[in-house]
Amino acid sequence: MTLSTQFLTLITMALSGFYLGVAQETFRRFTVYWKGRLFLTYFLEILFWMTQAGILFYILYRVNQGELRIYIVLACLFGFSAYQALAKQIYKRLLERLIRIFKAIYQGIEKLIKMMLISPLRWIFFTFYRMIKAILIGVMKIITWLFLFLFTPFRWIGTGLFRLSPKPIQNFFLQIAGFYSKIQNIVYKYVFKKSD
């Protein structure tokens, strides 16, 4: 490995250590969202470090064909320490600001979707529902009034026959009239009063 390759490896691994500090800080910031879930916490922790190890080894492979030396590890630690000492607080403030910006953008998009899509669809659905309900109630009213209109001559005839019929037959018709009265009360209660 030539001197220029060693120097490039040293600089690259120092920057990789700095990147590792940034990645760890970002990961730690988001761990609060799954802190109470033990299995998910361990799974994401292992996945994070395996991913970072893979990234660092890929960078090392691209720079010096994957040769690992002690100064490479020290350079990586130096970059990580430089982040902790010089850029940690600045990056944390920047990260919080970016999170607030993305949260505001997300909330704005969510409100826009509700205003432009969900609210009109909800209004259309309730309007259609009320129209169907009004039509059904109207049809029920027409059918009921038509039934009452057609039944009126038969009621007159029945009243005349009732007055001319013997007592046992009158009792039988009274029972039928009681049943009809119950049906009529149910119709007025659940159709006409509800529509009012």
Side-chain angles (χ1 to χ4, degrees):
M1 189 164 52
T2 62
L3 185 62
S4 60
T5 303
Q6 292 181 14
F7 180 74
L8 181 61
T9 302
L10 192 67
I11 297 298
T12 303
M13 294 313 295
L15 292 174
S16 298
F18 192 90
Y19 153 77
L20 186 60
V22 171
Q24 186 194 33
E25 194 68 49
T26 306
F27 179 73
R28 290 285 171 262
R29 172 60 181 80
F30 290 101
T31 53
V32 294
Y33 296 109
W34 57 79
K35 189 175 181 181
R37 303 175 182 177
L38 189 61
F39 175 77
L40 186 62
T41 300
Y42 281 113
F43 174 75
L44 291 176
E45 192 79 28
I46 294 170
L47 182 64
F48 170 77
W49 286 112
M50 287 180 65
T51 304
Q52 299 311 311
I55 291 171
L56 292 182
F57 183 77
Y58 177 75
I59 293 171
L60 184 63
Y61 177 79
R62 297 288 296 179
V63 174
N64 70 348
Q65 302 300 316
E67 294 183 15
L68 186 61
R69 308 250 177 116
I70 186 65
Y71 70 86
I72 293 175
V73 178
L74 294 175
C76 189
L77 291 174
F78 172 77
F80 184 81
S81 301
Y83 164 79
Q84 294 291 330
L86 302 176
K88 181 177 180 178
Q89 297 304 321
I90 298 172
Y91 177 72
K92 285 177 72 174
R93 288 195 294 270
L94 177 63
L95 181 62
E96 291 298 328
R97 186 171 298 178
L98 287 173
I99 290 172
R100 286 196 296 271
I101 291 171
F102 280 111
K103 189 179 290 186
I105 293 172
Y106 171 78
Q107 291 174 350
I109 293 173
E110 185 180 18
K111 288 180 181 178
L112 185 64
I113 291 173
K114 285 183 179 179
M115 185 177 65
M116 299 296 293
L117 186 63
I118 296 176
S119 295
L121 287 176
R122 185 181 297 171
W123 181 83
I124 291 170
F125 173 76
F126 280 112
T127 303
F128 182 74
Y129 169 75
R130 287 168 185 167
M131 287 175 58
I132 295 298
K133 184 179 178 182
I135 291 170
L136 289 176
I137 290 173
V139 170
M140 287 295 296
K141 279 185 176 182
I142 292 171
I143 292 173
T144 304
W145 282 111
L146 186 61
F147 175 76
L148 292 175
F149 175 75
L150 294 175
F151 185 72
T152 300
F154 294 101
R155 187 173 62 179
W156 291 342
I157 295 171
T159 302
L161 293 174
F162 175 77
R163 290 174 181 174
L164 297 174
S165 62
K167 203 71 175 174
I169 297 177
Q170 288 184 6
N171 293 332
F172 174 73
F173 279 113
L174 285 173
Q175 292 178 358
I176 295 176
F179 177 74
Y180 167 75
S181 178
K182 288 181 182 179
I183 297 298
Q184 190 178 34
N185 291 334
I186 291 172
V187 170
Y188 274 99
K189 180 179 179 181
Y190 289 100
V191 176
F192 294 102
K193 289 187 178 179
K194 281 193 175 181
S195 63
D196 296 337

